[in-house]
Amino acid sequence: MSHSVRSARVATFVYFVLCGTMMGTWVVHIPAIESRVGISHATLGGLLVLLGAGAFAGMQVAGRLTDRLGARAVVPATGVLCGATLVLPGLAQEPWTLAVALLVFGFCNGCLDVSMNAHAVHVEKAYGRPVMSAFHATFSAGGALAALVGAATVSVGLSPAVGMAAMGALGVMIALVSARALLPAASTATGTAADVNTDIEEAGQTPGGERSSPGGRIWVLASLALMVMLCEGAANDWSALHLKDVLGASASTAAFAYGTFAATMTIGRLLADRLVTRFGSMAILRYGAATAAVGITVVALAPWMWAAFAGWALFGLGLSGCVPQLFSAAGHADPSAAGANVSRVAGLGYVGMLAGPAVIGWLTHLVALNHAFVLLTLLCASTAAAAGILRTGSVRTRETATSSH
């Protein structure tokens, strides 16, 4: 393994942490910003649609730019933009200024998200073994870090604008310093024989050369990604408000609800690559989604803060391994169109992630916030039931590995 590939992996970890930290910084300041602007949960849910719309637009732009210019140019540029615009929601004083701020920050965050995931796929191919879950773990670690820093700044009385400006400035510097270690465009097409064999297995190609069409399977994977990431997005933006408004926690204590969720997401993703090797991706998706369904049900019914923290922890642990399995399955479905397939699954998934908060916000018109979480239970249960979509690739790959010994 060359030094440049190892350095690129470290740099990719840095950008995932950076993206998670900046998004988490916005998340932990939501209660304070909502209170200062003077809007209801339902109005906040509507404004969060603009965050999602901006991110979706940014993903489309960044995807094309990354293909044309290379991730080495696009990733640091979008990291700088994301850091520079992080302060905007903290400066908002009126609903319309918050709307504009979320649209702009969402656009920049979407650009960074897609470009760093594209680079992560290239690094994984260069390594020749699963590393995607670990990258996603560091994104969650960034969210946990943001929760700790955000709780500290809130407790000492710093305004959201000050805390978000400081984190954004640090993010700009980190994005610039880490740029040199990214893989150049010429290196992103490299891979190993193991990658090719895995791609063939996942695509459903038989030894005789027959290939099954992956098109329909890709859209099923994308639909599952939408459901899973909708659940994740809802936790991101409503976990702190749940503790504060439903169970009466202080703002600083409520911030740890998201921190708990993000921490268990991190732990689960750090373990996921090894668990996939042992049990297969289908088992990780099925039992992970089922665990998440139990966790969010506990949150919805919890009368005490300690029970809610336990539910959020279980929810994060269950969801942790689901998304990387869906991304990997899409990437291996057809080696000749890996980038396009991953972008479809990731794009629809991130629509779900960013729409999740709005969906929960709309439901609060009808039911209490904690009761709205029942929708997440249903989505997780549906994902567990549909996990067999991964059977073909995971079972065939494991059988091949077993027969080789």
Side-chain angles (χ1 to χ4, degrees), residues 354-365:
L354 296 165
V359 171
I360 296 299
W362 290 330
L363 284 176
T364 61
H365 282 297

Side-chain angles (χ1 to χ4, degrees), residues 186-201:
S187 300
T188 59
T190 63
T192 66
D195 294 324
V196 175
N197 291 335
T198 301
D199 289 342
I200 291 174
E201 296 295 341

Side-chain angles (χ1 to χ4, degrees), residues 183-351:
L183 290 176
S187 300
T188 59
T190 63
T192 66
D195 294 324
V196 175
N197 291 335
T198 301
D199 289 342
I200 291 174
E201 296 295 341
E202 292 290 342
Q205 183 170 327
T206 65
E210 297 177 359
R211 182 184 295 274
S212 59
S213 174
R217 185 167 182 256
I218 291 299
W219 289 113
V220 174
L221 293 172
S223 298
L224 294 177
L226 184 148
M227 291 192 291
V228 171
M229 295 181 72
L230 188 151
C231 294
E232 185 176 343
N236 288 347
D237 283 9
W238 291 105
S239 54
L241 285 170
H242 167 255
L243 264 289
K244 180 175 179 289
D245 293 352
V246 176
L247 298 179
S250 66
S252 58
T253 300
F256 282 103
Y258 172 70
T260 299
F261 171 81
T264 55
M265 285 278 285
T266 303
I267 293 169
R269 284 174 172 169
L270 288 173
L271 298 174
D273 288 331
R274 294 182 181 180
L275 293 175
V276 169
T277 301
R278 182 170 182 179
F279 299 108
S281 58
M282 181 184 70
I284 299 304
L285 181 62
R286 173 165 292 162
Y287 295 109
T291 299
V294 173
I296 196 61
T297 301
V298 171
V299 171
L301 301 177
W304 309 291
M305 279 191 286
W306 66 265
F309 279 120
W312 285 119
L314 201 60
F315 191 50
L317 187 64
L319 290 179
S320 62
C322 295
V323 169
Q325 308 323 308
L326 297 171
F327 281 24
S328 294
H332 294 305
D334 183 356
S336 66
N341 288 335
V342 171
S343 69
R344 292 188 185 104
V345 174
L348 196 57
Y350 283 114
V351 167

Side-chain angles (χ1 to χ4, degrees), residues 2-387:
S2 68
H3 174 73
S4 63
V5 174
R6 288 194 296 268
S7 297
R9 186 187 183 194
V10 172
T12 307
F13 279 132
V14 170
Y15 282 105
F16 270 77
V17 172
L18 181 63
C19 188
T21 301
M22 287 191 285
M23 179 57 74
T25 299
W26 148 247
V27 168
V28 298
H29 286 97
I30 286 176
I33 293 174
E34 181 190 47
S35 177
R36 186 186 63 201
V37 176
I39 54 178
S40 65
H41 291 344
T43 301
L44 175 63
L47 291 176
L48 290 174
V49 173
L50 294 175
L51 180 69
F56 183 79
M59 290 171 193
Q60 310 316 304
V61 172
R64 294 187 181 94
L65 287 177
T66 301
D67 290 340
R68 180 175 299 179
L69 304 177
R72 190 175 193 176
V74 178
V75 172
T78 56
V80 169
L81 289 174
C82 195
T85 57
L86 175 60
V87 69
L88 297 181
L91 295 173
Q93 299 287 338
E94 302 290 339
W96 74 268
T97 57
L98 180 59
V100 173
L102 292 178
L103 184 65
V104 174
F105 175 65
F107 179 89
C108 296
N109 186 266
C111 288
L112 175 59
D113 214 323
V114 163
S115 60
M116 73 181 188
N117 270 288
H119 187 263
V121 170
H122 300 323
V123 172
E124 187 175 46
K125 287 186 177 181
Y127 259 75
R129 60 183 173 85
V131 295
M132 183 64 76
S133 291
F135 288 136
H136 284 256
T138 55
F139 177 89
S140 300
L145 175 63
L148 293 173
V149 174
T153 58
V154 169
S155 65
V156 299
L158 286 182
S159 69
V162 173
M164 297 172 82
M167 188 63 71
L170 181 62
V172 168
M173 291 187 290
I174 291 173
L176 292 173
V177 170
S178 303
R180 291 175 60 88
L182 298 176
L183 290 176
S187 300
T188 59
T190 63
T192 66
D195 294 324
V196 175
N197 291 335
T198 301
D199 289 342
I200 291 174
E201 296 295 341
E202 292 290 342
Q205 183 170 327
T206 65
E210 297 177 359
R211 182 184 295 274
S212 59
S213 174
R217 185 167 182 256
I218 291 299
W219 289 113
V220 174
L221 293 172
S223 298
L224 294 177
L226 184 148
M227 291 192 291
V228 171
M229 295 181 72
L230 188 151
C231 294
E232 185 176 343
N236 288 347
D237 283 9
W238 291 105
S239 54
L241 285 170
H242 167 255
L243 264 289
K244 180 175 179 289
D245 293 352
V246 176
L247 298 179
S250 66
S252 58
T253 300
F256 282 103
Y258 172 70
T260 299
F261 171 81
T264 55
M265 285 278 285
T266 303
I267 293 169
R269 284 174 172 169
L270 288 173
L271 298 174
D273 288 331
R274 294 182 181 180
L275 293 175
V276 169
T277 301
R278 182 170 182 179
F279 299 108
S281 58
M282 181 184 70
I284 299 304
L285 181 62
R286 173 165 292 162
Y287 295 109
T291 299
V294 173
I296 196 61
T297 301
V298 171
V299 171
L301 301 177
W304 309 291
M305 279 191 286
W306 66 265
F309 279 120
W312 285 119
L314 201 60
F315 191 50
L317 187 64
L319 290 179
S320 62
C322 295
V323 169
Q325 308 323 308
L326 297 171
F327 281 24
S328 294
H332 294 305
D334 183 356
S336 66
N341 288 335
V342 171
S343 69
R344 292 188 185 104
V345 174
L348 196 57
Y350 283 114
V351 167
M353 183 175 183
L354 296 165
V359 171
I360 296 299
W362 290 330
L363 284 176
T364 61
H365 282 297
L366 306 174
V367 297
L369 176 58
N370 57 316
H371 296 158
F373 292 152
V374 173
L375 172 65
L376 308 184
T377 299
L378 297 176
L379 293 177
C380 290
S382 298
T383 300

Side-chain angles (χ1 to χ4, degrees), residues 382-405:
S382 298
T383 300
I389 188 67
L390 299 185
R391 179 180 290 112
T392 300
S394 61
V395 171
R396 185 178 289 124
T397 300
R398 291 171 66 194
E399 288 175 349
T400 301
T402 300
S403 65
S404 66
H405 291 290

